[in-house]
Amino acid sequence: MSADSPKKPHNTMAAERRKARHYGMQALYQWLMADASLNTIEAEFRADYDFAHVDLEYFQALLHGVPACVDELEELFQPLLDRDIDELDPIERTLLRMGTFELKERIDVPYKVVINEEVALAKKFGASESHKYVNGVLDKAARELRKTEIGV
């Protein structure tokens, strides 16, 4: 956004972030399943979808940021799981990676927003009860990664 452009209303920014997460989850799922290059995936998404009302910077931060530190992210949430990480559904794994990334790297986003957004995506794309699992794991992760914000 340039200095000359008007500031967007909060609800518009929230909707654009929500779409960025939506596409980010799909793109990261594709990366996990197909192991295609991130630049190729990004180019495909930008060609196939209308990004006019999407927070492109946030989409790019998720798409390139999560894979850049995927091992570290998984080390953070692995102890919070009730099963081996390889037994996670690919959607759950992708959402836990994204949520942990946002909790760790995007302290400008309140932890409750991160959790709620990932849970909403789990309800839309995951198995019938995966939203509860994603919620539980990210809630525990937030207690570690956002101690100051939560006050624990």
Side-chain angles (χ1 to χ4, degrees), residues 30-45:
Q30 183 175 331
W31 173 74
L32 173 65
M33 300 306 288
D35 199 30
S37 107
L38 296 172
N39 290 333
T40 300
I41 292 170
E42 181 180 348
E44 287 175 5
F45 269 72

Side-chain angles (χ1 to χ4, degrees), residues 28 31 61-71 73 94 97-98 101:
L28 288 166
W31 173 74
L62 291 171
L63 179 59
H64 296 279
V66 170
C69 59
V70 71
D71 292 337
L73 296 172
T94 299
R97 287 172 171 178
M98 272 179 49
F101 175 82

Side-chain angles (χ1 to χ4, degrees), residues 13-125:
M13 288 176 49
E16 290 181 357
R17 282 259 170 103
R18 188 168 292 115
K19 288 179 183 176
R21 285 185 185 93
H22 177 107
Y23 291 149
M25 193 282 306
Q26 291 177 307
L28 288 166
Y29 175 82
Q30 183 175 331
W31 173 74
L32 173 65
M33 300 306 288
D35 199 30
S37 107
L38 296 172
N39 290 333
T40 300
I41 292 170
E42 181 180 348
E44 287 175 5
F45 269 72
R46 292 185 65 185
D48 293 346
Y49 299 103
D50 178 7
F51 271 74
H53 301 289
V54 176
D55 185 335
L56 179 60
E57 289 180 28
Y58 210 81
F59 169 77
Q60 291 171 324
L62 291 171
L63 179 59
H64 296 279
V66 170
C69 59
V70 71
D71 292 337
E72 180 184 353
L73 296 172
E74 290 188 347
E75 285 175 20
L76 289 169
F77 69 76
Q78 170 70 50
L80 310 174
L81 303 177
D82 63 353
R83 63 190 103 155
D84 188 72
I85 201 163
D86 293 326
E87 295 175 21
L88 288 174
D89 175 89
I91 296 290
E92 288 175 350
R93 190 169 187 173
T94 299
L95 292 172
L96 291 175
R97 287 172 171 178
M98 272 179 49
T100 304
F101 175 82
E102 287 189 84
L103 289 170
K104 181 179 178 299
E105 301 293 333
R106 298 303 305 240
I107 59 170
D108 58 312
V109 179
Y111 79 95
K112 288 182 179 183
V113 171
V114 171
I115 294 171
N116 288 341
E117 292 292 327
E118 302 306 329
V119 166
L121 288 167
K123 286 178 179 178
K124 183 170 187 168
F125 293 106

